Amino acid sequence: MLRNWQPSERIFLISVKESFVALIPFIVINSSLSLILALVDAWQPVWQQSDNYIWFSQFSINLHTFFPFLVLLSLSIHFAKYLNLSPVVLTSLSIGILISLHVQYFETIEKIDYFSEMLRDPRAVVIPIFMAYVLRRVTFFKSLNFIQTSRLNGYLKQHLNLLLPMVISFLVVSLLMLASSYCLGFAFEFCLSQLKEAGVYGLMVFRVITSHLLWCVGVHGDITFNLLMGVDNGLLEITPNLTINQFMDIFIMFGGSGGTMALIIAIFISSKDNGSLNVAKIALPFSFFNINEILIYGLPITFNPKLIIPFVLLPCMNMLLGYFATTWGLLTFNGHSVAWITPPLLNAYIASESFTVVAFQAGLIGLNVMLYLPFIRGYEVLNTGNSLFENVLEHKVQLQTEFARISELNYVQKQSEELAADTKLQKTIQEVLSGELLLHYQPKICLDTDEVIGFEALLRLRVDSGKIVGPYFIKEFDDAGFANLIDNFVIKAVAEDLLKWKREGFSPKVSINLNPNNILEKQTQNLLIDMLGSMAHNVEIELLESAFMFDLKRVEETIDLLSSYGFSFVLDDFGTGFSSLSLLSKIRVNGVKLDRSILEHIAEPKGRTLYLHTCMLCKSLGFDLIAEGVETKEEADFVKKAGVDCIQGWLYAKAMPMQEAKKYAQSETR
């Protein structure tokens, strides 16, 4: 039974698979170039001296040298994708580690070309994987995040907070790679010393196991082994007329390392996975010429535990069977040289001119197919079982990417809006500074006596042209944090006007509107007391419902403080909020001003019922009632019947300058 793989293990395999799949176009091109050059070497060796051959040869070598570095880039990008890391950060750290492993010390500064050596370093394949998991682990420690503000661009904040994790991860992975390199180097030297006593057979065992294990971690096993051991070792004879290289080509590398021609046949026989079948179809023509990079990196076999096992063990089995068959004299060879690209069966016949050797090779291929089949079925079951997880994971990654994209767009939009708002604010401030702030007063009429019992002070602006306009700038000033400037102006202007009226023998009650947040500030409270405290009985402060929702306890403390000086309070715009009814049982105000929005619907039965019952509720709780926005005689008659005490609206008068307001209040006709 297949064990249930954990999501972290699946993420690892998916990341590896997609990393190498993304490189398939490069692998196909590189393999094609290698095949063309190998065919030229086998069939037209005279072309080897031509400029075109030399150019193609160098181009192919350079491409092949560049492959580990491309793997580093691809692994960094895909592991970052699925581990929710920054691709740029992970890639740059991985490259930095690779560079650090090749830094050389010289007494004088000279031009040192070790770039090609760095590019073909097999450690380039494992560095991004280690770095991805170390960086992910380190970023879990939130104490390393020194940027906490929420006002910074999320993308910028994320990367600034990666500074410490990057340094720590770099040091950890550097030490890990240096230590592992030292240990592996020591183990390799030990193996070499033992090979001297093991002879040809020991060298062959070491070559098969080492080269195939290198393939399993993404490194070209055969080239790397030859670089480490030298190509001359492959020329040693196992039996007369059969070198180690020929033995490997005939008995182990049919289709390439791992006997992967048998793997392709097994895929065609039993696999129902479209991805595996498509990779096998692409790899098949190259497999005839013993080129199997497409299959190794496309399935992939690299870093894939389900296919690594047969990929390593079957060549070992083939080696044992082939070795005993040749050393026991069951198979004989004629010494003919055979190019490594010669297709299986054909290379066996050329090297031996014996159908016995061909049959033996065919038998090995068939045996390998049979042994690959259960692993292919297990790999397919694993893929099928993980398909849902992969889809969910892919959707999750896409969603994360979309979130990040939208977040960045929102930030850019917010920045643009803030810039536009700032530009507009600067223009508005200039308009206000170049104009003149004024207070106009709208009368409040007692319904029982038809007399003016007070005014509401309303802000106005006289612009350069002399025209007086409404306070269009209030919201912009509030958003910009300048509301206290407006409130201070209103408090001081009302104080001056009340003093002027008092000297003229006129002492009306004036309502003022203050910002809900400012009324809670000590500075505003002190200004009210200093400027209006002596006339507090003539001042009514109108508070919006939002003031009570902000901090009810502090509002009540403010009301108690200012009420002790004689100020009275009114709940403004009642009927526009969602919690007004529940607030009525909690707040301590003198009156309630009914918003025009509920008066507009009295033409309908439900609208009339709502208005009447609202008035009844407020009166039963002991509040004075002011109807705001009364514009017609019918509306005035209705609100009077509903129990409203006074009204305010265009039916009687709009807001007017203080002297006109006084004259209107003292007039006997309205």
Side-chain angles (χ1 to χ4, degrees):
M1 178 180 293
L2 291 173
R3 68 185 180 95
N4 187 22
W5 282 42
Q6 298 301 314
S8 59
E9 296 172 299
R10 298 175 185 174
I11 289 174
F12 176 85
L13 283 180
I14 293 169
S15 302
V16 169
K17 179 179 179 180
E18 291 195 0
S19 298
F20 287 109
V21 166
L23 294 174
I24 282 182
F26 175 87
I27 295 169
V28 171
I29 293 173
N30 207 3
S31 298
S32 300
L33 288 174
S34 299
L35 178 59
I36 292 171
L37 291 170
L39 291 175
V40 169
D41 291 341
W43 296 337
Q44 294 293 334
V46 293
W47 291 0
Q48 294 176 353
Q49 305 304 317
S50 68
D51 292 339
N52 289 334
Y53 177 90
I54 295 173
W55 187 91
F56 273 105
S57 177
Q58 289 300 315
F59 181 61
S60 177
I61 292 171
N62 290 337
L63 276 183
H64 200 85
T65 301
F66 200 62
F67 181 70
F69 188 74
L70 287 183
V71 174
L72 180 147
L73 297 179
S74 188
L75 286 170
S76 297
I77 292 170
H78 287 86
F79 271 90
K81 171 183 175 182
Y82 286 112
L83 295 180
N84 196 25
L85 300 170
S86 168
V88 175
V89 168
L90 183 56
T91 302
S92 59
L93 281 172
S94 300
I95 294 174
I97 294 291
L98 186 62
I99 293 174
S100 70
L101 295 175
H102 291 270
V103 171
Q104 301 180 26
Y105 299 93
F106 297 92
E107 294 181 359
T108 58
I109 299 176
E110 299 178 3
K111 184 179 179 182
I112 305 299
D113 182 18
Y114 58 90
F115 188 67
S116 59
E117 178 186 348
M118 182 183 71
L119 287 181
R120 62 171 174 258
D121 189 336
R123 291 174 293 185
V125 179
V126 295
I127 286 173
I129 299 176
F130 283 111
M131 180 58 72
Y133 283 101
V134 171
L135 181 62
R136 186 190 186 201
R137 178 67 63 180
V138 174
T139 53
F140 282 156
F141 296 99
K142 300 304 179 184
S143 58
L144 298 176
N145 296 344
F146 60 91
I147 304 294
Q148 301 293 338
T149 177
S150 59
R151 295 180 61 85
L152 197 64
N153 177 350
Y155 191 75
L156 176 60
K157 177 181 175 181
Q158 174 195 358
H159 285 77
L160 287 176
N161 280 331
L162 280 173
L163 288 175
L164 289 177
M166 284 176 66
V167 173
I168 295 172
S169 300
F170 184 88
L171 293 175
V172 170
V173 178
S174 294
L175 293 174
L176 178 64
M177 295 309 300
L178 288 172
S180 59
S181 298
Y182 175 80
C183 293
L184 289 174
F186 179 80
F188 189 77
E189 290 294 333
F190 175 78
C191 292
L192 286 180
S193 64
Q194 297 300 312
L195 285 177
K196 295 178 180 179
E197 301 178 3
V200 175
Y201 179 74
L203 177 62
M204 193 163 56
V205 171
F206 183 70
R207 175 174 177 173
V208 171
I209 295 176
T210 302
S211 62
H212 283 79
L213 287 177
L214 288 171
W215 277 114
C216 293
V217 294
V219 180
H220 197 295
D222 303 295
I223 292 179
T224 304
F225 184 85
N226 286 332
L227 287 173
L228 294 172
M229 298 293 296
V231 296
D232 293 340
N233 290 292
L235 301 178
L236 298 176
E237 286 191 343
I238 298 176
T239 61
N241 301 323
L242 183 66
T243 65
I244 291 178
N245 285 340
Q246 289 176 320
F247 180 89
M248 295 284 292
D249 292 339
I250 296 171
F251 297 108
I252 296 173
M253 295 175 26
F254 36 80
S257 296
T260 46
M261 177 169 282
L263 175 57
I264 292 177
I265 297 172
I267 291 173
F268 285 133
I269 291 175
S270 67
S271 180
K272 296 180 181 178
D273 178 62
N274 289 331
S276 299
L277 286 169
N278 289 333
V279 172
K281 290 176 183 177
I282 298 172
L284 181 61
F286 293 93
S287 180
F288 282 122
F289 299 96
N290 302 313
I291 297 174
N292 64 349
E293 282 90 337
I294 296 172
L295 198 65
I296 290 175
Y297 297 121
L299 282 178
I301 295 173
T302 300
F303 291 112
N304 188 342
K306 281 294 173 183
L307 295 178
I308 282 177
I309 296 173
F311 183 80
V312 175
L313 293 184
L314 292 186
C316 293
M317 179 195 71
N318 295 339
M319 179 191 64
L320 289 174
L321 295 176
Y323 182 79
F324 288 124
T326 55
T327 55
W328 289 348
L330 300 178
L331 305 175
T332 58
F333 299 88
N334 55 23
H336 288 172
S337 176
V338 181
W340 65 269
I341 62 166
T342 307
L345 303 183
L346 179 59
N347 63 4
Y349 181 77
I350 294 174
S352 65
E353 294 182 344
S354 168
F355 286 104
T356 303
V357 176
V358 174
F360 187 85
Q361 188 187 54
L364 287 180
I365 295 174
L367 179 60
N368 281 211
V369 170
M370 293 175 61
L371 294 176
Y372 263 122
L373 283 174
F375 289 96
I376 288 298
R377 295 190 185 104
Y379 175 64
E380 183 176 346
V381 170
L382 176 64
N383 280 351
T384 303
N386 289 343
S387 60
L388 178 60
F389 174 82
E390 291 188 25
N391 291 335
V392 171
L393 181 63
E394 183 64 30
H395 288 312
K396 178 182 177 182
V397 170
Q398 290 175 355
L399 189 61
Q400 289 174 340
T401 304
E402 192 65 15
F403 271 135
R405 184 185 69 82
I406 293 175
S407 176
E408 188 66 17
L409 287 176
N410 288 342
Y411 180 81
V412 173
Q413 182 179 355
K414 182 180 177 182
Q415 291 290 89
S416 300
E417 291 173 354
E418 288 179 356
L419 180 61
D422 186 62
T423 303
K424 185 179 179 183
L425 176 64
Q426 295 301 322
K427 180 182 177 182
T428 301
I429 291 174
Q430 189 60 41
E431 290 173 351
V432 172
L433 291 176
S434 62
E436 181 185 4
L437 286 175
L438 305 169
L439 281 185
H440 280 193
Y441 296 89
Q442 186 174 32
K444 293 180 179 180
I445 313 298
C446 177
L447 285 173
D448 290 335
T449 63
D450 203 33
E451 294 179 350
V452 175
I453 60 171
F455 300 95
E456 180 179 4
L458 298 171
L459 195 64
R460 295 292 184 266
L461 175 67
R462 180 185 286 119
V463 296
D464 289 339
S465 63
K467 181 181 178 181
I468 296 176
V469 297
Y472 63 90
F473 48 84
I474 292 292
K475 186 177 185 307
E476 292 175 44
F477 274 40
D478 286 352
D479 294 341
F482 299 150
N484 62 314
L485 301 178
I486 300 299
D487 286 350
N488 292 348
F489 169 81
V490 170
I491 293 171
K492 293 175 182 178
V494 167
E496 292 175 2
D497 290 347
L498 283 176
L499 286 174
K500 289 179 184 178
W501 276 335
K502 187 176 182 180
R503 287 194 292 266
E504 296 171 0
F506 182 60
S507 299
K509 196 163 192 174
V510 175
S511 298
I512 60 175
N513 295 281
L514 298 178
N515 184 278
N517 296 326
N518 290 342
I519 192 67
L520 303 180
E521 299 298 327
K522 206 67 180 175
Q523 182 180 358
T524 302
Q525 296 168 11
N526 291 336
L527 186 63
L528 280 167
I529 295 169
D530 293 341
M531 301 297 298
L532 294 169
S534 61
M535 301 172 285
H537 293 285
N538 294 95
V539 179
E540 191 174 61
I541 300 173
E542 297 188 1
L543 294 177
L544 293 171
E545 179 186 345
S546 59
F548 298 91
M549 301 303 295
F550 179 72
D551 191 335
L552 181 58
K553 183 179 179 181
R554 287 184 63 194
V555 173
E556 289 177 342
E557 292 173 353
T558 301
I559 291 176
D560 290 341
L561 171 66
L562 296 177
S563 295
S564 66
Y565 286 89
F567 292 97
S568 57
F569 290 85
V570 170
L571 178 63
D572 194 15
D573 293 342
F574 182 79
T576 59
F578 296 99
S579 306
S580 299
L581 291 178
S582 64
L583 274 176
L584 292 178
S585 64
K586 303 175 184 177
I587 60 177
R588 296 191 293 273
V589 295
N590 304 96
V592 174
K593 180 182 281 189
L594 301 173
D595 191 73
R596 174 166 175 77
S597 61
I598 58 175
L599 181 62
E600 292 175 338
H601 301 290
I602 62 171
E604 301 173 2
K606 289 183 179 180
R608 288 194 299 273
T609 300
L610 175 63
Y611 203 95
L612 289 170
H613 282 77
T614 301
C615 292
M616 186 185 305
L617 176 63
C618 292
K619 294 297 288 186
S620 66
L621 292 173
F623 298 119
D624 294 330
L625 281 177
I626 306 101
E628 187 178 32
V630 177
E631 298 179 358
T632 66
K633 186 65 170 60
E634 292 75 14
E635 290 176 349
D637 292 339
F638 175 79
V639 299
K640 183 176 182 179
K641 292 177 182 179
V644 170
D645 300 297
C646 68
I647 60 176
Q648 178 184 342
W650 291 357
L651 172 63
Y652 291 95
K654 297 182 179 181
M656 58 190 79
M658 63 172 295
Q659 293 304 327
E660 292 182 26
K662 175 187 173 184
K663 183 178 179 180
Y664 181 86
Q666 294 176 339
S667 174
E668 295 183 359
T669 58
R670 269 181 281 281

